[in-house]
Amino acid sequence: MQDYLWLEKYTVLDKSNEKIIKELGIQPWFHPYFDVAKNRIQKLVNRYGTHQDAADTFLDFLEEEYEYIENED
């Protein structure tokens, strides 16, 4: 668990998409969904506080956005 403590303090909103891609190793097919995932993070931060701005939450949202669009067809 100690290995993942950095996720709790990871700041998505203050980083460029390029930096997030590099740090989290995000695959290219997810790149078009960054802005929507970041908007969802911002809404959580506005409502519940900055502890919501973490990599694990961002990755969950990114995957949800990808699956939503891909399954829409």
Side-chain angles (χ1 to χ4, degrees):
M1 185 70 168
Q2 189 76 356
D3 294 341
Y4 299 101
L5 288 178
W6 69 273
L7 288 174
E8 294 176 19
K9 301 192 183 325
Y10 190 86
T11 303
V12 170
L13 298 174
D14 293 340
K15 296 189 185 223
S16 69
N17 291 355
E18 293 78 17
K19 189 155 180 72
I20 295 170
I21 289 166
K22 181 179 178 185
E23 290 178 357
L24 300 180
I26 296 172
Q27 300 300 314
W29 49 87
F30 289 111
H31 297 182
Y33 310 103
F34 266 60
D35 292 334
V36 176
K38 276 187 169 182
N39 287 341
R40 291 177 68 183
I41 290 284
Q42 185 65 65
K43 286 179 185 177
L44 275 182
V45 167
N46 291 347
R47 187 166 186 177
Y48 298 112
T50 56
H51 65 284
Q52 297 295 321
D53 184 7
D56 54 350
T57 305
F58 178 74
L59 292 173
D60 288 343
F61 287 169
L62 192 60
E63 188 172 358
E64 286 176 14
E65 294 302 328
Y66 171 77
E67 289 175 356
Y68 175 76
I69 297 299
E70 291 300 311
N71 292 326
E72 205 172 64
D73 295 332

